[in-house]
């Protein structure tokens, strides 16, 4: 996939990763002037040491001459360090894809990175798969099934993650889908995982994508790793109970659409809807949900950071349930970016509708940006707010 143009990355947001393969300057994406975090972690370092035969790993140093696939590389640390072996990078995140491309350019690699979306098939056959353990067990399950299908008897799989993200259930997932699995000692709080693919193992088919039906009869489809797959999130439910009124022929944006439930429920037959998310699997889910509800309907499904891909003053209404993370600073920064984007893409007089936990203080943020806001509904946990972009 071709992503982004040339990005000028200020050196103050770059850090140097020193690994057996060399020294590489890396930055996260999107670029934030006051970025506090590095673009890689100790699990990336451990994995790169294992690939170089310097990690005390209970496996032979893997060959890199065949087809190498890197799955869930956060911002390209692994792909950049191993770029001379021309790996394929597979990710569910548009931000990771752009970040990796940007880091390839920074490190003067002129060959385009073979980056693939998690909705694509894996290259076939794979000789070496390097996997960063994702936070979502569902996504891991989906990816391990993909690896199994693309593997041959000589395929080597090495996974890595921070110890806090590797649970018994994570290791069971490896052993039930791939085969016998061992782990390394922890190093800088990171661990390596070594599954051996057992082709005799009886493995059922992947259970993804999954669907559920809301009380109103909407069938919601979710691919692996998508927010609230399998059930309606209580915040989303509260929003659905307090819907915006959508005018005839309105242009509606579901910003951070996940499985697309908000945009699909709020849309009328003649609504021009755009579903936006950074996750490719989320967009694929939203497409399935929308097309089930509006057979033959035409909506747009756009991967990007916030609403970067849409033009100013172009839409009538934006609906949003911003992401929440264990990392509160990141959640706040993303919500603030989404609110600013909503303000930018709304036509004057257009409306932004957002649901959130009461304690998150979205009220003040919306008042600051839009000049005022109205509380549409609130209960002991959630609030639905509406803000109107002033007429010029
Ligand atoms: C709380 S979920 C809401 C999903 C859906 N709207 C719902 O209510 O069920 C937030 C969504 O925002 C997406 N997201 C997070 N950061 C993003 C970004 N920078 N740009 C676009 N989407 C993002 C996530 O992938 C996730 O699908």
């Amino acid at each position: 996939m071709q992503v982004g143009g040339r990005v000028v990355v200020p050196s103050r947001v770059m850090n140097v990763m020193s690994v057996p393969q060399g020294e590489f300057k890396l930055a996260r994406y999107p670029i934030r002037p006051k970025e506090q975090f590095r673009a890689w972690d100790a699990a990336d370092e451990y994995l790169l040491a294992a690939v170089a035969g310097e990690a005390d790993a209970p496996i032979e140093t893997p060959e890199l001459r065949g087809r190498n696939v890197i799955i869930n590389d956060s911002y390209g640390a692994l792909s950049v360090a191993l770029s001379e072996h021309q790996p394929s990078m597979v990710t569910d995140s548009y931000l990771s894809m752009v970040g990796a491309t940007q880091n390839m350019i920074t490190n003067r690699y002129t060959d385009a990175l073979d980056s693939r979306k998690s909705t694509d098939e894996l290259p076939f056959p794979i000789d070496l798969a390097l996997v960063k353990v994702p936070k979502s067990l569902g996504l891991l399950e989906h990816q391990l099934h993909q690896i199994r299908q693309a593997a041959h008897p000589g395929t080597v799989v090495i996974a890595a993650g921070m110890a806090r993200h590797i649970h018994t259930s994570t290791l069971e997932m490896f052993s039930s889908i791939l085969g016998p699995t061992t782990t390394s000692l922890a190093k800088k709080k990171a661990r390596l995982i070594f599954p051996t693919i057992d082709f005799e193992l009886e493995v059922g088919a992947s259970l993804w994508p999954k669907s559920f039906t809301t009380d109103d009869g909407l069938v919601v489809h979710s691919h692996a790793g998508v927010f609230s797959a399998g059930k309606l999130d209580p915040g989303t439910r509260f929003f659905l109970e307090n819907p915006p009124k959508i005018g005839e022929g309105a242009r509606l944006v579901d910003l951070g659409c996940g499985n697309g439930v908000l945009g699909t429920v709020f849309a009328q037959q003649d609504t021009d809807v755009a579903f936006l998310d950074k996750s490719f699997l989320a967009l694929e889910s939203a497409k399935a949900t929308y097309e089930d509800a509006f057979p033959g309907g035409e909506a747009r499904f756009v991967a990007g950071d916030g609403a970067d891909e849409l033009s100013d003053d172009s839409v009538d209404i934006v609906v949003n349930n911003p992401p929440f993370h264990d990392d509160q600073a990141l959640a706040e920064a993303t919500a603030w970016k989404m609110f600013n984007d909503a303000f930018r893409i709304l036509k004057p007089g257009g409306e932004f509708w957002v649901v959130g936990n009461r304690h998150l203080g979205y009220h003040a943020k919306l008042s600051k940006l839009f000049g005022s806001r109205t509380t549409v509904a609130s209960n002991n946990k959630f609030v639905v707010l509406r803000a109107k972009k002033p007429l010029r």
Side-chain angles (χ1 to χ4, degrees):
M1 179 174 169
Q2 196 64 34
V3 273
R6 197 178 161 79
V7 200
V8 179
V9 185
S11 55
R12 67 176 180 283
V13 298
M14 283 191 247
N15 288 292
V16 176
M17 176 178 78
S18 209
V19 286
Q21 289 77 9
E23 297 207 330
F24 305 94
K25 287 184 188 162
L26 301 171
R28 289 165 78 104
Y29 183 84
I31 293 159
R32 299 188 210 277
K34 294 184 186 154
E35 185 62 76
Q36 300 165 23
F37 300 105
R38 299 183 315 183
W40 75 96
D41 61 18
D44 291 308
E45 292 172 357
Y46 207 174
L47 192 48
L48 287 169
V51 169
E54 294 182 16
D56 234 354
I59 54 160
E60 283 180 29
T61 308
E63 286 277 353
L64 288 159
R65 274 187 306 221
R67 197 191 301 269
N68 308 309
V69 177
I70 298 174
I71 301 176
N72 308 325
D73 198 1
S74 303
Y75 300 99
L78 301 169
S79 306
V80 169
L82 298 173
S83 66
E84 67 177 274
H85 305 288
Q86 294 168 331
S88 300
M89 165 181 164
V90 181
T91 175
D92 188 44
S93 166
Y94 172 88
L95 305 181
S96 301
M97 212 175 244
V98 180
T101 304
Q102 163 194 288
N103 284 319
M104 288 286 282
I105 295 169
T106 303
N107 290 280
R108 303 190 191 286
Y109 290 114
T110 45
D111 282 353
L113 175 64
D114 174 32
S115 54
R116 297 169 186 235
K117 303 180 203 170
S118 47
T119 45
D120 297 339
E121 297 274 304
L122 289 189
F124 179 87
I126 297 176
D127 299 299
L128 173 66
L130 302 177
V131 185
K132 280 296 289 296
V133 174
K135 282 192 194 141
S136 157
L137 201 57
L139 183 56
L140 179 67
E141 183 182 9
H142 165 69
Q143 293 174 330
L144 295 182
H145 276 283
Q146 283 189 309
I147 293 173
R148 186 176 178 86
Q149 275 171 6
H152 59 80
T155 300
V156 173
V157 182
I158 314 177
M162 298 310 290
R164 65 179 184 281
H165 296 141
I166 300 176
H167 312 286
T168 311
S169 53
T170 316
L171 299 176
E172 279 169 3
M173 194 65 86
F174 278 92
S175 47
S176 64
I177 299 174
L178 295 184
T181 297
T182 57
T183 57
S184 70
L185 293 173
K187 192 172 167 190
K188 289 208 236 165
K189 299 189 179 159
R191 249 180 215 289
L192 298 176
I193 303 172
F194 307 102
T196 309
I197 303 180
D198 174 0
F199 285 91
E200 304 292 312
L201 192 68
E202 297 242 350
V203 178
S206 167
L207 297 174
W208 298 98
K210 294 180 181 173
S211 16
F212 67 92
T213 307
T214 65
D215 298 345
D216 298 331
L218 178 80
V219 183
V220 180
H221 299 277
S222 301
H223 284 269
V226 171
F227 173 76
S228 212
K231 63 173 183 352
L232 208 52
D233 161 66
T236 309
R237 179 188 295 276
F238 190 59
F239 201 169
L240 295 179
E241 288 164 3
N242 297 284
K245 205 164 176 308
I246 310 286
E248 227 172 272
R251 298 193 73 187
L252 167 69
V253 168
D254 184 345
L255 178 54
C257 62
N259 52 30
V261 60
L262 292 176
T264 303
V265 170
F266 297 152
Q268 315 290 319
Q269 197 69 44
D270 66 351
T271 309
D272 173 350
V273 201
F275 293 89
L276 271 49
D277 210 289
K278 66 167 188 175
S279 153
F280 301 116
L281 284 163
L283 291 166
E284 199 69 15
S285 310
K287 193 162 191 277
T289 303
Y290 177 82
E291 287 179 352
D292 209 334
F294 294 96
E298 282 184 21
R300 284 174 298 149
F301 303 89
V302 187
D305 183 14
D308 278 1
E309 307 303 308
L310 301 199
S311 23
D312 299 359
D313 303 336
S314 61
V315 307
D316 300 291
I317 181 152
V318 178
V319 295
N320 178 225
N321 177 11
F324 23 96
H325 295 268
D326 348 337
D327 177 351
Q328 210 189 326
L330 180 61
E332 276 179 22
T334 308
W336 182 237
K337 150 102 181 128
M338 287 180 160
F339 297 175
N340 276 276
D341 283 4
F343 186 84
R344 180 181 61 73
I345 64 173
L346 280 167
K347 296 174 188 167
E351 293 186 356
F352 180 47
W353 285 62
V354 61
V355 68
N357 270 65
R358 296 174 69 102
H359 75 265
L360 291 172
Y362 291 163
H363 309 72
K365 291 193 167 73
L366 293 189
S367 298
K368 188 169 165 195
L369 256 179
F370 287 78
S372 67
R373 47 82 198 154
T374 307
T375 302
V376 176
S378 66
N379 64 16
N380 56 355
K381 199 149 179 227
F382 299 105
V383 58
V384 176
L385 302 170
R386 181 183 73 214
K388 205 173 189 154
K389 181 162 171 176
L391 293 166
R392 277 199 267 268

